[in-house]
Amino acid sequence: DQQVKQNSPSLSVQEGRISILNCDYTNSMFDYFLWYKKYPAEGPTFLISISSIKDKNEDGRFTVFLNKSAKHLSLHIVPSQPGDSAVYFCAARGAAGANSKLTFGKGITLSVRP
Amino acid sequence: EADIYQTPRYLVIGTGKKITLECSQTMGHDKMYWYQQDPGMELHLIHYSYGVNSTEKGDLSSESTVSRIRTEHFPLTLESARPSHTSQYLCASSAGGNIQYFGAGTRLSVL
């Protein structure tokens, strides 16, 4: 049973426009969420995170929004750049403290067209 | 920036061979992890360690084994490789917080 779902496998946007990547989760015990970016033949790179006590976290062009009641989070990239083209993974941590493991979604492939 | 290294980056090997995938980190992180990932799929945790001489199996059953004799080193071993082991193997470490830092991965092909 997949607890972190990224239902759209791919997204294509024009350079300069906004990219919105969505993620849904089913486990209400998740209390910390992360986004990772992965280029082909490389490992995932941490991008941005959010605690469940917040509803928004911003870092430069990247903003993550969390809607706990809907068990939904989204990553906004504004403006999108061709170098943002990659696979984006949503991950969630359970509420058992710092020793909790991460549960990952299947990823979304973002393509930013010049 | 995280300093975690995996070797080899690519490995093509025949069925039945024993292989060891290396993972080392220079950050002094206590926690280390091994994930398996196939294209278009999520990362599946196969092993983790919270410190020296501590290893646990992850959520995805794996025929591989791991050891943690030194803080910085977390190798993964397959005693007898099979085609079903073909995948990408990703190693990660964390300092006890929520963020895990990943190596570049090893892409394994078993013929």
Side-chain angles (χ1 to χ4, degrees):
Chain A
D1 181 31
Q2 202 177 357
Q3 299 185 69
V4 177
K5 301 178 183 179
Q6 296 179 261
N7 293 320
S8 301
S10 63
L11 175 67
S12 181
V13 299
Q14 193 75 37
E15 181 179 5
R17 308 294 287 266
I18 185 171
S19 295
I20 300 176
L21 291 76
N22 294 307
C23 178
D24 297 291
Y25 61 96
T26 59
N27 189 339
S28 58
M29 298 302 288
F30 288 146
D31 71 346
Y32 194 82
F33 304 88
L34 307 89
W35 284 93
Y36 283 86
K37 174 181 179 180
K38 185 179 184 298
Y39 291 118
E42 293 185 14
T45 302
F46 170 72
L47 197 56
I48 192 169
S49 62
I50 188 167
S51 166
S52 60
I53 62 173
K54 295 186 176 181
D55 55 16
K56 177 183 175 181
N57 188 27
E58 190 172 355
D59 183 2
R61 296 186 298 114
F62 303 92
T63 302
V64 57
F65 295 93
L66 175 62
N67 183 333
K68 281 186 65 177
S69 61
K71 294 190 179 68
H72 176 84
L73 62 155
S74 60
L75 174 68
H76 293 212
I77 305 174
V78 182
S80 300
Q81 299 173 354
D84 295 330
S85 297
V87 178
Y88 289 78
F89 289 95
C90 173
R93 189 201 74 172
N99 286 340
S100 286
K101 298 164 279 184
L102 296 180
T103 300
F104 285 82
K106 292 185 176 182
I108 301 171
T109 300
L110 173 65
S111 299
V112 180
R113 307 185 303 274
Chain B
E1 191 66 30
D3 293 319
I4 180 164
Y5 307 99
Q6 290 187 244
T7 57
R9 291 291 312 276
Y10 302 92
L11 180 61
V12 181
I13 200 163
T15 297
K17 299 292 185 182
K18 177 180 178 179
I19 60 170
T20 296
L21 308 184
E22 301 289 348
C23 177
S24 295
Q25 49 98 3
T26 60
M27 298 165 287
H29 288 171
D30 286 331
K31 297 177 174 59
M32 296 189 74
Y33 312 83
W34 275 103
Y35 292 86
Q36 186 175 338
Q37 196 231 346
D38 294 314
M41 300 299 290
E42 60 265 58
L43 281 69
H44 288 289
L45 183 68
I46 53 175
H47 298 283
Y48 61 99
S49 167
Y50 289 154
V52 171
N53 294 324
S54 156
T55 61
E56 300 287 344
K57 288 191 178 293
D59 303 321
L60 181 68
S61 175
S62 174
E63 294 167 342
S64 58
T65 59
V66 292
S67 62
R68 188 89 184 276
I69 298 173
R70 303 197 314 267
T71 297
E72 62 271 20
H73 194 214
F74 191 39
L76 180 145
T77 298
L78 273 167
E79 290 292 334
S80 180
R82 294 207 301 268
S84 61
H85 296 138
T86 295
S87 188
Q88 183 178 39
Y89 292 84
L90 294 161
C91 180
S93 72
S94 69
N98 305 307
I99 301 171
Q100 293 181 17
Y101 297 95
F102 285 82
T106 295
R107 187 165 296 280
L108 173 66
S109 294
V110 184
L111 306 177

